[in-house]
Amino acid sequence: PQYCTRSILIAPTFEEQSALPFLSRVFLKTMAQILPWATLPTTLLPYFLPMSDEASQKASSLHLNARFAYDLREAVQNAASTFLKVSSPNLIGCPIDDVLYNGEHLRKLVAGHPFNDMLSYREINGIGANALCGDLEETQKALAVIIPWMLEICPVSTSSLL
């Protein structure tokens, strides 16, 4: 957070979709310490959004080692507390009416942010959780919010546009 001067987060996820059971967490931590290179079964991998059947099939072909899976899970666990330390201007774009993305946790996190005067929270209709890497229409809807915010936060002179 100390090196971040501005950021744009579109549909950020600060929590796992479903928490791993206690014994799975213990097993993951133990494997990460004892056999960090061991490949884990997909049931021990952290998931952050509900997945379609096609995405689940692709995820079943993932081969992550124990250390990477553990570090990934820890990073997501710490993401919310790291987000609360950011004191620079931020644009937070939240999909609305998306069946996969639950923005309730994000709204609570933004409301409790100690520097919420630095946050620009925007609900964006018609985008999903992967708006910037999905179809062109979603990207355009997200950019319709991002570009005006960027121009507001980082004003440019007319000569720099020539």
Side-chain angles (χ1 to χ4, degrees):
Q2 66 267 29
Y3 300 112
C4 181
T5 59
R6 290 167 186 80
S7 66
I8 299 171
L9 302 172
I10 302 297
T13 301
F14 293 115
E15 62 184 350
E16 290 178 85
Q17 175 58 29
S18 56
L20 286 174
F22 175 75
L23 291 177
S24 296
R25 290 193 312 263
V26 170
F27 180 74
L28 178 61
K29 185 174 184 176
T30 303
M31 289 293 290
Q33 293 172 351
I34 296 173
L35 297 170
W37 62 88
T39 302
L40 295 174
T42 56
T43 55
L44 289 177
L45 301 180
Y47 292 102
F48 310 109
L49 291 172
M51 294 192 294
S52 65
D53 292 338
E54 180 184 344
S56 293
Q57 289 173 350
K58 289 180 182 177
S60 67
S61 65
L62 286 176
H63 299 289
L64 298 180
N65 67 38
R67 186 66 206 188
F68 181 80
Y70 177 77
D71 288 345
L72 178 62
R73 186 176 176 282
E74 289 296 304
V76 170
Q77 293 281 317
N78 296 328
S81 61
T82 301
F83 171 72
L84 292 174
K85 295 176 187 173
V86 174
S87 60
S88 58
N90 287 275
L91 171 64
I92 312 293
C94 181
I96 53 174
D97 299 328
D98 181 65
V99 294
L100 296 180
Y101 190 81
N102 180 3
E104 189 60 34
H105 182 254
L106 179 61
R107 282 189 279 284
K108 288 179 184 175
L109 195 60
V110 168
H113 196 285
F115 302 102
N116 66 5
D117 58 324
M118 300 295 280
L119 299 178
S120 297
Y121 178 80
R122 305 280 196 282
E123 290 185 335
I124 307 170
N125 198 8
I127 68 166
N130 59 350
L132 296 178
C133 56
D135 69 326
L136 182 61
E137 187 178 335
E138 284 190 25
T139 303
Q140 289 172 335
K141 288 178 181 179
L143 289 176
V145 172
I146 293 170
I147 292 173
W149 180 82
M150 289 176 67
L151 292 173
E152 177 187 328
I153 296 299
C154 309
V156 295
S157 67
T158 54
S159 62
S160 66
L161 296 175
L162 300 177

